[in-house]
Amino acid sequence: MSRLLLCCLIVAIAATGALVITSIVAFPERPGPPPGNPGIPPGPPPNVQAVAVIVLVTGVFVLSWLAVLVVFARDQILRRLGEGGDPERMRELLTEVRAELAADREREWQIIAERLADYGEQRETDGYLNGMRVGTGSQPAEENVRSLRRPPSQR
């Protein structure tokens, strides 16, 4: 068991105890009159501070046990990697994966650059054609201006 897992487990157990104690202290059983009795005033309003404390302690409880699960999974992965054997083989695999990721990233950047270039050329051509139409005065500028984005459809 790793030190990190041991620490997370201790915190999780403490959070569980805190949740149990807080729920017992915050909501003791108080028998009272049944609701809706005529002539008997309603009881006091619920204690809002107790509810806030319960919510806070419950959050710590959930996060601490989640941390235990994550650290346990991490330890299992590290143990299996350690049992895998040849560290040189692991380095080779990591190098291959890094090379594949770099190639994928480069390919994606090329696609984005091509799309941006197409977009720029389209905008430049639209601007030139619009300027020529306005310059020749063949059509009023207001009629020929089109936005690149379509207006949202009205339903």
Side-chain angles (χ1 to χ4, degrees):
M1 220 196 263
S2 69
R3 289 185 197 173
L4 183 60
L5 180 60
L6 189 60
C7 291
C8 287
L9 197 57
I10 290 171
V11 170
I13 291 171
T16 304
L19 181 63
V20 169
I21 291 171
T22 305
S23 62
I24 290 172
V25 170
F27 300 112
E29 292 187 33
R30 288 185 232 150
N37 283 341
I40 299 176
N47 187 0
V48 179
Q49 287 180 337
V51 173
V53 170
I54 286 288
V55 168
L56 182 70
V57 172
T58 303
V60 171
F61 168 81
V62 169
L63 289 176
S64 63
W65 281 107
L66 183 63
V68 168
L69 289 175
V70 169
V71 171
F72 180 74
R74 172 192 156 262
D75 287 351
Q76 291 296 318
I77 291 169
L78 289 176
R79 182 180 310 148
R80 289 202 181 155
L81 285 175
E83 292 173 358
D86 190 18
E88 188 61 35
R89 176 72 180 137
M90 289 292 180
R91 281 193 207 100
E92 290 173 6
L93 288 174
L94 285 175
T95 305
E96 290 175 16
V97 168
R98 287 182 184 136
E100 288 176 13
L101 287 174
D104 288 345
R105 195 175 322 127
E106 184 63 33
R107 212 172 311 122
E108 289 171 0
W109 276 112
Q110 288 174 353
I111 292 170
I112 290 172
E114 289 172 4
R115 287 183 183 172
L116 283 174
D118 291 343
Y119 177 76
E121 288 176 9
Q122 179 69 34
R123 290 296 289 176
E124 185 178 346
T125 303
D126 288 347
Y128 175 77
L129 292 175
N130 190 30
M132 290 300 289
R133 288 186 196 120
V134 170
T136 59
S138 61
Q139 295 177 349
E142 292 83 27
E143 292 179 11
N144 204 15
V145 175
R146 288 183 279 166
S147 65
L148 283 179
R149 298 184 182 182
R150 296 180 184 144
S153 62
Q154 301 294 329
R155 291 184 182 188

